Each structure stands twice: as structure tokens, then as C-alpha cells.
Amino acid sequence: MAHIILYDVELTTPNEIWSPNTCKTRYALNYKGIPYKTVWLKFPEIGEEIPKITKSKERPTVPVIVDVLHGNKVVQESWEIAKYLEEAYPDTPSLFHGNIGAHFFMHEYCTRRLLPKIFKLNVLTVMKKAGEHGAWFRQTREKIFKMPLEKFVGDESQHAKAITENLDALGRVLKTYPYLTGQQVGWADICLASYITFLRVMRPDQYDALVLNDSKAGKQFAEWLKRMDKYMQLAPPAPSARI
Ligand SMILES: N[C@@H](CCC(=O)N[C@@H](CS)C(=O)NCC(=O)O)C(=O)O
């Protein structure tokens, strides 16, 4: 039985996991081995359905979880969900390993330094892959950014350069340790893996160039991604394959 219902966002390909924010929750649930089921929403449905579930005035976004096992508790926002899961499921593998600050630092580093640049490389592909909702996506984003999407994207080579520079620091950690905070998988790894998933799905060309084949970043990311692969799936790994 599913303990958790995870609300995720779907473009045109059914069951394709791509969203950087919902991936964090999905990979955390996979890592913890908590059974869940996914409810897929199209972009415009997020604004219609999520407020009915959260009953809050927060901007409607996914991920949102409903914890069926704990009285249908509703939690919105990937970092809030991570902290909640850690408390509500204490007998599952830890996301923070007693050092939540280190994981929050990595969360912030990846979210502030990497994600905005990856987003700029990806945004036009997200619009295309949104299919019939592409026009809605363009209109709502242009309202937020106050400019045409093409202008917002700007010079791709600058974003690629920034991604390489920021990955360099993380790659140096992975040269010495198997995971971003040392010997164990944690929230830091889950964040980075989620943002890399977003790049891989939307821009396989840039994923190859900046992550897999970059002369500085390459090798250690490829190895680390192999170690992370079992958590980066649509469904949880079989119990014996978990750690
Ligand atoms: N800080 C939030 C960000 C959530 C977020 O922006 N989610 C996107 C999907 S990746 C969303 O729901 N967007 C809906 C919209 O912009 O209309 C988190 O980490 O959960």
C-alpha cells in the first residue's frame, strides 16, 4: 500500500520524470524506500488542483505530498518535505546523517548557483515538451520574467560556462569522497542528481558536454551518477538493491 501520494508535473510523455523540484522528493522517497504513488498534473492543473489539497494561499507548486500513513498530512515544497520525511519515517535511511546544515548548504549551493543556469538552457525545451500547454507556459513565464523567453534565455554559452565552473567545486569533492558530504548518500546528492536529471532530459547535448564529457568535471560525475542511478528512477528500487 502506498504510504505517500506524490503530486508531480507531466509534460507530453507519460511517466517521464524531469522536474527538478519533484525529482528531489521522488529520489528521497526511493532512497528511503517509502512506498508511494504518483498523481501526475499538467502545468495548468497545478494551479487548479494544488490549492484544493494544501488549502493554503502559498503559490501552487509541486512537489506536494499527502502522507496517508500519518493522517493525510499535507506538505508542500521539496525542502520542507525532506525535513518532514526525516521526522515522520525515522526508521528509514537518513537524508541528513546528523548534519542537516551541510546538506542545506549543498541544497542552497545547487539551487542558487546551478539550477538558474540549467533552467535557462532548458526553458525553451520545456515549453516545446509541454505540447498543447506550451502557449500557457510561455505566457505565464513571460509574465514572471517580464520579457520574451528567448531574451530571458540570452547567451547559452555563458550559462554553460557558469555550470562548468560551479560543477568544478562539486567534482573536486567527488574526487575524494563517493558522495557530496562524504561516505553516505544524502540530501545533497539527491539535489544535485535532480538538477542533473533536468538537464539530461531537456538538453542531452549539454548534459553530455557539461557533465559526462567535460574535461574537468567528467569522470567523477559519471561514476557518482552510476552510484546514484538506483534512486533516480520512477519507482523505488527493490529492497535488496537499496543501499
Ligand atoms: N521551492 C519549491 C519550488 C517548486 C516549483 O517551482 N515547482 C514547479 C515545478 S518544477 C511548479 O510547480 N511550477 C508550477 C508553475 O510555475 O506554475 C520546491 O522546492 O518545491
Side-chain angles (χ1 to χ4, degrees):
M1 186 200 101
H3 295 359
I4 299 270
I5 299 169
L6 166 63
Y7 288 83
D8 201 338
V9 54
E10 184 175 66
L11 298 173
T12 32
T13 311
N15 290 329
E16 180 175 64
I17 51 174
W18 67 273
S19 143
N21 292 304
T22 60
C23 276
K24 284 179 273 178
T25 301
R26 180 179 300 281
Y27 297 170
L29 290 167
N30 288 345
Y31 165 67
K32 283 183 167 291
I34 300 171
Y36 63 95
K37 82 167 194 202
T38 307
V39 175
W40 295 101
L41 299 175
K42 300 286 186 192
F43 256 116
E45 289 174 333
I46 295 175
E48 290 158 22
E49 298 304 319
I50 292 300
K52 291 184 203 160
I53 298 154
T54 58
K55 298 185 175 48
S56 95
K57 296 212 177 342
E58 289 292 313
R59 183 174 157 245
T61 54
V62 287
V64 163
I65 60 159
V66 177
D67 186 348
V68 182
L69 199 68
H70 295 95
N72 291 326
K73 168 88 180 159
V74 177
V75 189
Q76 180 177 3
E77 216 276 332
S78 60
W79 173 244
E80 293 304 318
I81 295 171
K83 289 187 290 180
Y84 171 78
L85 292 176
E86 195 77 347
E87 285 196 4
Y89 292 86
D91 298 332
T92 61
S94 175
L95 291 167
F96 305 134
H97 303 291
N99 194 351
I100 192 169
H103 288 274
F104 187 55
F105 170 76
M106 282 291 189
H107 172 116
E108 288 293 296
Y109 181 87
C110 294
T111 304
R112 314 267 154 225
R113 298 291 177 97
L114 272 176
L115 185 57
K117 307 297 175 192
I118 294 175
F119 185 76
K120 287 199 174 197
L121 292 183
N122 288 359
V123 68
L124 294 175
T125 315
V126 175
M127 180 178 71
K128 279 192 207 112
K129 283 173 83 91
E132 61 172 315
H133 301 299
W136 178 94
F137 182 80
R138 176 188 281 281
Q139 197 189 22
T140 52
R141 303 311 107 161
E142 290 186 345
K143 200 170 162 200
I144 297 169
F145 307 138
K146 299 188 175 55
M147 65 182 84
L149 278 188
E150 288 73 9
K151 189 170 177 206
F152 172 77
V153 168
D155 179 355
E156 284 202 342
S157 68
Q158 291 299 319
H159 312 320
K161 189 164 170 264
I163 291 170
T164 301
E165 279 167 10
N166 286 305
L167 280 180
D168 183 45
L170 303 176
R172 291 169 74 83
V173 177
L174 294 175
K175 255 188 196 155
T176 312
Y177 299 102
Y179 298 104
L180 286 173
T181 55
Q183 299 299 334
Q184 292 158 299
V185 182
W187 181 249
D189 303 281
I190 284 169
C191 280
L192 181 61
S194 300
Y195 299 163
I196 286 181
T197 299
F198 186 34
L199 185 66
R200 188 188 65 204
V201 174
M202 297 299 158
R203 295 296 302 266
D205 56 330
Q206 296 284 6
Y207 169 74
D208 284 353
L210 304 177
V211 180
L212 287 191
N213 299 324
D214 179 73
S215 58
K216 272 189 179 168
K219 198 166 168 284
Q220 55 273 19
F221 282 101
E223 292 299 316
W224 170 80
L225 281 163
K226 273 189 216 150
R227 291 192 284 278
M228 291 301 294
D229 186 63
K230 55 182 173 290
Y231 311 116
M232 297 167 69
Q233 305 294 331
L234 185 62
S240 59
R242 204 167 288 146
I243 298 289

